[in-house]
């Protein structure tokens, strides 16, 4: 069957995958509604000491399958997922003496396509050492790109996005995932990966006028990317595809390509919002106590959370120094000693946790991964004993196979002690929150923390870039909640009490637009209480039963509607050009809804914190108008009557 063409269509017939084996390598193509997106692209693997798996392959009989999986997510943008797909497994066998077998498994969904290499158990091949995965993505034509580029594999996966044509992409850069391609006629494709476990994170690099996979090498060298025992498989290489860009944001393809939850009892997993006083600069009012890493400082924020139904308070440290014993010069610079089971002498962690519990607030701690990982078991045992509910694990800054395994080990062991995890300085999500729903969120985005030191603030355009690229991979921690908006020309760098670009309504809408199961309320209490819009922050959920994209234009604007129970929340964010949008409410179920509408008005131009709140009654068939200022927004809470 060496020259036979294998084809696979999505259930609706719009996506077509075709595959053949040539003498040099297997090749595939992808088209959407008859339009080619991926031209002949090679597949192959390079192994240390055992040669390449590409040329001289024989294809055995493909095995087809129709799949339908219905599942519920503990955490997600959708509660119930109905996943339909067509699948083909293509066995490839070497014609040479080694006779190694690798299967290419392909799944076609209505909103995308995914494939991976699978290494079945076989007699003469029990382990492998991979030096390169030569998966090509030969892009058809010259689409427009939104991409995040790096010079090397060590990074926090944060940066500003480049907008360019494909032909302008440089060969010496690593393109981070997800990457968004816009083809003529408004056909969109995002490339990313799913189910990244016991393997290296993937980037894309320019190669022979196309793209090729680039894997993060194991630490201390550059040649070896993956070491594995067979049976094994790679992550899924995913292409999210639609002529409606909002379909990419709505998609659940990444969780559908992951395993069901490994946590049987999920009753303790409770998403919510959290304080995060590091962002505001550890601000306290005039006090009768010495500010610092102590009970009184944390009590001030716990009381704020309790008054306003914010589920978690973050115990971080104070003034750049962590809450646990160490000899480090600051939060992010490791020293020679750290012990996360021993708070500094000024902090009684048990007292903090007991007080928070009494107030109905959960405690969530910050830890540097270098301090945590050497004592993972003893740390998690102690955290559970104190009554801590979860933690931010920070400064991971790698996605090699070892780091990928470390992060899964952290999730596994945290679950055993009923602890949730928030990864910072980390690579993008790959749908693993389905398998480990104690993973609440990941950073991996250039976000509002940068307003503490940037000379210009994070722009509304960047928020949109994140929403149309990084958000496609899943939840992102974005340091939400800054309540000091200024016009762009008035922005100044403030490490304490940072300023914001974009209106107050833009910030409120970000709680709906950005997906995260642990959104921050990162400003200080006096910045919020009594302020317009804070009532919305208090009420907005962080997990959703349903998500719909109502308006979407990359770089311009985005409107999302998300359902929680019977109530809906609609968030719209705008770029720096004022405009007026209409939002049809034909997605609403029958019945009437009490609507609370927060929006920009004429005064917002002078004071971006200004907003108007209007109450009305809305129903299916009504049309909402959204007047959006420069960097503006609108947010609507619809309560079923």
């Amino acid at each position: 069957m060496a020259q036979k063409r294998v084809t696979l269509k999505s259930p609706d017939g719009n996506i077509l995958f075709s595959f053949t084996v040539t003498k040099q390598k297997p090749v595939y193509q992808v088209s959407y509604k008859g339009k080619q997106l991926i031209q002949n692209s090679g597949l192959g693997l390079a192994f240390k000491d055992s040669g390449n798996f590409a040329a001289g392959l024989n294809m055995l009989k493909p095995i087809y399958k129709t799949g339908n999986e219905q599942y519920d997510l503990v955490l997600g943008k959708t509660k119930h997922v109905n996943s339909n797909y067509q699948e083909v497994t293509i066995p490839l066998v070497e014609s040479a003496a080694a006779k190694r077998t690798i299967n290419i498994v392909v799944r076609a969904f209505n909103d995308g396509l995914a494939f991976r290499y699978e290494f079945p158990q076989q007699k003469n091949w029990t382990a492998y050492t991979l030096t390169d995965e030569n998966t090509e993505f030969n892009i058809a034509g010259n689409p427009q790109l939104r991409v995040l580029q790096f010079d090397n594999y060590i990074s926090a996966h944060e940066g500003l996005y480049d907008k360019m044509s494909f032909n302008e992409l440089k060969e010496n850069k690593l393109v981070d995932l997800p990457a968004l391609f816009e083809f003529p006629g408004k056909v969109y494709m995002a490339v990313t990966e799913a189910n990244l476990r016991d393997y290296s994170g993937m980037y894309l690099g320019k190669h022979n006028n196309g793209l090729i996979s680039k894997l993060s090498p194991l630490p201390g060298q550059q040649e070896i990317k993956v070491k594995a025992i067979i049976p094994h498989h790679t992550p899924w290489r995913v292409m999210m595809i639609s002529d409606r860009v909002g379909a990419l944001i709505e998609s659940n393809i990444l969780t559908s390509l992951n395993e069901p939850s490994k946590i049987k009892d999920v009753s303790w997993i409770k998403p919510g919002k959290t304080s995060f006083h590091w962002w505001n600069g550890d601000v306290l009012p005039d006090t009768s106590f010495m500010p610092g890493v102590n009970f009184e400082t944390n009590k001030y924020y716990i009381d704020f959370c309790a008054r306003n139904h914010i589920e978690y308070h973050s115990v971080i440290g104070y003034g750049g120094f962590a809450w646990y014993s160490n000899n480090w010069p600051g939060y992010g610079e490791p020293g020679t000693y750290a012990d996360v089971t021993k708070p500094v002498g000024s902090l009684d962690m048990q007292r903090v946790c007991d007080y928070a519990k009494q107030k109905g607030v959960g405690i969530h701690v910050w830890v540097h991964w270098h301090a945590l990982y050497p004592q993972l078991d003893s740390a998690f045992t102690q955290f559970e004993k104190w009554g801590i509910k979860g933690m931010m694990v920070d400064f991971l800054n790698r996605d090699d196979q070892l780091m990928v395994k470390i992060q899964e080990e952290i999730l596994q062991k945290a679950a055993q002690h009923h602890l949730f995890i928030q990864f910072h300085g980390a690579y993008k999500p790959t749908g693993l929150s389905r398998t480990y729903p104690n993973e609440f969120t990941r950073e991996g985005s250039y976000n509002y923390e940068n307003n503490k030191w940037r000379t210009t603030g994070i722009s509304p355009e960047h928020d949109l870039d994140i929403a149309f690229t990084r958000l496609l991979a899943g939840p992102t921690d974005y340091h939400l909640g800054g309540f000091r908006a200024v016009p762009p020309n008035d922005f100044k760098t403030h490490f304490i009490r940072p300023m914001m670009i974009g209106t107050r309504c833009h910030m409120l809408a970000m709680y709906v637009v950005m997906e995260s199961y642990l959104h921050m309320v990162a400003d200080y209490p006096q910045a919020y209480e009594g302020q317009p819009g804070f009532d919305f922050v208090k009420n907005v959920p962080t997990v959703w039963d349903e998500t719909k994209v109502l308006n979407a234009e990359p770089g311009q604007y985005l409107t999302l509607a998300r359902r929680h129970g019977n109530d809906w929340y609609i968030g719209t964010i705008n770029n720096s050009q004022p405009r007026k949008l209409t939002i049809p409410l034909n997605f609403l179920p029958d019945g009437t809804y009490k609507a609370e509408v927060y929006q920009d008005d004429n005064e917002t131009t002078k004071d971006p914190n200004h907003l108007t709140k209007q109450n009305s009654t809305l129903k299916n068939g009504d049309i909402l108008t959204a007047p959006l200022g420069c960097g503006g927004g609108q947010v609507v809470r619809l309560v079923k009557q």
Side-chain angles (χ1 to χ4, degrees):
M1 298 185 65
Q3 298 305 317
K4 184 170 181 179
R5 181 173 296 272
V6 176
T7 61
L8 185 73
K9 286 186 176 181
S10 57
D12 62 7
N14 289 333
I15 298 173
L16 173 64
F17 173 90
S18 62
F19 177 95
T20 56
V21 175
T22 70
K23 290 181 179 180
Q24 293 76 32
K25 56 192 173 185
V27 296
Y28 74 96
Q29 299 175 348
V30 177
S31 63
Y32 177 75
K33 293 185 176 179
K35 179 183 180 64
Q36 191 170 67
L37 306 182
I38 302 287
Q39 304 176 109
N40 271 357
S41 299
L43 300 175
L45 301 164
F47 299 101
K48 185 176 175 64
D49 302 327
S50 61
N52 291 354
F53 189 93
L57 302 179
N58 291 323
M59 178 171 61
L60 305 184
K61 185 178 180 181
I63 303 166
Y64 285 89
K65 170 185 168 184
T66 296
N68 173 259
E69 185 185 16
Q70 300 196 33
Y71 62 92
D72 287 342
L73 289 169
V74 179
L75 307 171
K77 56 189 167 187
T78 307
K79 175 65 174 174
H80 182 73
V81 180
N82 185 11
S83 176
N84 293 301
Y85 60 88
Q86 297 293 328
E87 179 181 290
V88 62
T89 298
I90 306 168
L92 300 176
V93 183
E94 287 179 308
S95 55
K99 299 278 186 201
R100 293 176 298 183
T101 298
I102 294 177
N103 298 331
I104 306 296
V105 181
V106 189
R107 286 187 185 175
F109 303 80
N110 287 341
D111 54 5
L113 179 95
F115 63 84
R116 71 181 181 187
Y117 304 82
E118 292 189 353
F119 305 81
Q121 193 160 3
Q122 46 205 289
K123 288 183 179 179
N124 299 321
W125 199 26
T126 58
Y128 70 85
T129 299
L130 187 75
T131 57
D132 280 303
E133 179 192 315
N134 295 316
T135 301
E136 297 176 352
F137 299 85
N138 290 331
I139 306 297
N142 186 29
Q144 293 297 303
L145 273 61
R146 268 181 168 73
V147 292
L148 182 59
Q149 301 183 82
F150 297 115
D151 293 322
N152 59 66
Y153 295 100
I154 304 300
S155 81
H157 297 268
E158 301 176 14
L160 300 176
Y161 282 79
D162 294 311
K163 276 80 76 176
M164 64 180 77
S165 68
F166 179 74
N167 290 344
E168 294 175 291
L169 194 64
K170 303 297 184 187
E171 292 205 5
N172 59 348
K173 293 287 188 178
L174 295 171
V175 175
D176 203 13
L177 303 180
L180 182 67
F181 301 79
E182 181 180 346
F183 294 86
K186 290 193 177 296
V187 173
Y188 298 90
M189 179 177 74
V191 177
T192 190
E193 59 183 329
N195 197 21
L196 174 56
R197 300 169 67 188
D198 193 17
Y199 202 81
S200 170
M202 185 177 82
Y203 303 75
L204 300 176
K206 197 80 176 281
H207 174 73
N208 293 338
N209 297 317
L211 294 169
I212 194 167
S213 57
K214 299 282 188 179
L215 300 184
S216 187
L218 284 164
Q221 51 84 64
Q222 292 297 312
E223 181 187 20
I224 298 171
K225 311 306 192 309
V226 177
K227 292 183 177 181
I229 304 297
I230 295 173
H232 198 244
H233 57 73
T234 73
W236 294 95
R237 280 60 187 99
V238 182
M239 288 159 277
M240 306 165 77
I241 301 169
S242 181
D243 52 9
R244 187 174 67 86
V245 69
L248 277 56
I249 297 172
E250 295 168 353
S251 175
N252 290 288
I253 189 171
L254 298 188
T255 53
S256 295
L257 291 165
N258 276 265
E259 295 179 19
S261 175
K262 289 183 175 294
I263 304 172
K264 300 308 178 188
D265 174 18
V266 296
S267 61
W268 58 272
I269 297 176
K270 299 188 183 302
K273 297 183 287 286
T274 183
S275 68
F276 199 68
H277 58 84
W278 169 85
W279 184 85
N280 64 57
D282 305 319
V283 170
L284 293 168
D286 293 341
T287 63
S288 59
F289 59 85
M290 178 72 74
V293 189
N294 55 35
F295 172 76
E296 289 80 8
T297 297
N298 285 287
K299 177 181 181 296
Y300 171 68
Y301 278 88
I302 291 168
D303 288 343
F304 162 72
C305 292
R307 285 195 302 274
N308 296 291
H309 310 292
I310 295 166
E311 290 84 353
Y312 295 102
H313 163 62
S314 299
V315 175
I316 305 161
Y318 186 86
F321 294 94
W323 62 269
Y324 49 83
S325 300
N326 68 85
N327 66 354
W328 298 14
Y331 285 134
E333 305 165 65
T336 59
Y337 163 78
D339 189 342
V340 300
T341 69
K342 295 179 180 177
V344 296
S346 58
L347 181 68
D348 184 340
M349 182 63 82
Q350 189 65 66
R351 185 183 179 198
V352 169
C353 290
D354 289 348
Y355 182 77
K357 182 179 180 181
Q358 174 191 333
K359 289 288 190 174
V361 175
I363 291 298
H364 161 232
V365 297
W366 174 91
V367 289
H368 194 297
W369 87 271
H370 270 297
L372 173 70
Y373 189 66
Q375 51 180 163
L376 210 53
D377 293 302
S378 59
F380 287 169
T381 299
Q382 183 61 63
F383 289 1
E384 185 178 26
K385 182 179 177 182
W386 279 327
I388 289 171
K389 303 301 182 185
M391 75 210 73
M392 175 192 289
V393 183
D394 205 349
F395 292 105
L396 298 139
N397 291 355
R398 290 166 30 208
D399 61 350
D400 54 79
Q401 183 188 16
L402 179 60
M403 176 53 73
V404 168
K405 291 170 74 172
I406 285 171
Q407 292 193 22
E408 183 166 352
E409 183 184 359
I410 289 172
L411 286 168
Q412 286 176 329
K413 291 187 174 180
Q416 294 168 11
H417 295 276
H418 293 175
L419 296 163
F420 69 77
I421 299 294
Q422 170 189 19
F423 286 120
H424 260 225
Y427 55 83
K428 79 280 177 190
T430 64
L432 203 58
S433 58
R434 178 186 178 190
T435 309
Y436 296 102
N438 61 325
E439 182 185 303
F440 275 14
T441 191
R442 286 176 172 267
E443 193 183 26
S445 61
Y446 195 76
N447 55 66
Y448 294 145
E449 70 177 354
N450 290 277
N451 282 11
K452 291 167 69 69
W453 46 75
R454 274 177 62 94
T455 55
T456 56
I458 295 294
S459 69
E461 282 77 7
H462 178 70
D463 293 342
L464 285 159
D465 287 343
I466 291 287
F468 283 103
T469 52
R470 167 61 181 79
L471 195 66
L472 303 180
T476 179
D477 200 353
Y478 210 69
H479 293 79
L480 295 185
F483 259 39
R484 276 171 309 286
V486 296
N489 291 338
D490 293 340
F491 183 88
K492 294 182 177 62
T493 305
H494 287 177
F495 191 86
I496 296 174
R497 299 182 179 88
M499 293 180 170
M500 301 300 300
I501 302 294
T503 70
R504 175 75 57 83
C505 280
H506 183 101
M507 174 58 70
L508 299 183
M510 289 289 281
Y511 280 96
V512 178
V513 169
M514 291 295 168
E515 179 188 356
S516 178
Y517 318 132
L518 191 72
H519 271 320
M520 289 183 184
V521 184
D523 227 328
Y524 58 97
Q526 286 182 321
Y528 289 126
E529 293 181 317
Q531 280 290 311
F534 184 51
D535 54 337
F536 180 83
V537 174
K538 290 191 290 185
N539 288 324
V540 66
T542 62
V543 291
W544 308 99
D545 297 315
E546 192 175 353
T547 291
K548 294 180 179 295
V549 177
L550 308 181
N551 289 312
E553 186 62 44
Q556 302 293 316
Y557 52 81
L558 178 62
T559 302
L560 267 74
R562 301 194 193 262
R563 179 175 63 83
H564 182 83
N566 291 323
D567 300 338
W568 286 86
Y569 295 76
I570 305 172
T572 300
I573 60 172
N574 187 33
N575 68 2
S576 296
Q577 300 300 316
R579 74 183 76 240
K580 185 177 288 187
L581 293 178
T582 57
I583 304 172
L585 302 182
N586 51 14
F587 64 91
L588 288 175
D590 290 339
T592 59
Y593 291 80
K594 176 187 175 184
E596 298 172 347
V597 182
Y598 304 76
Q599 63 189 30
D600 305 323
D601 66 6
N602 293 333
E603 295 299 316
T604 308
T605 306
K606 303 172 189 174
D607 178 6
N609 298 294
H610 194 274
L611 59 82
T612 62
K613 180 183 177 183
Q614 301 169 1
N615 295 320
S616 63
T617 300
L618 295 172
K619 64 183 185 305
N620 183 302
D622 289 341
I623 296 177
L624 194 64
T625 300
L628 304 170
C630 300
Q634 184 196 66
V635 74
V636 183
R637 183 186 182 206
L638 295 166
V639 179
K640 186 75 178 285
Q641 298 301 289

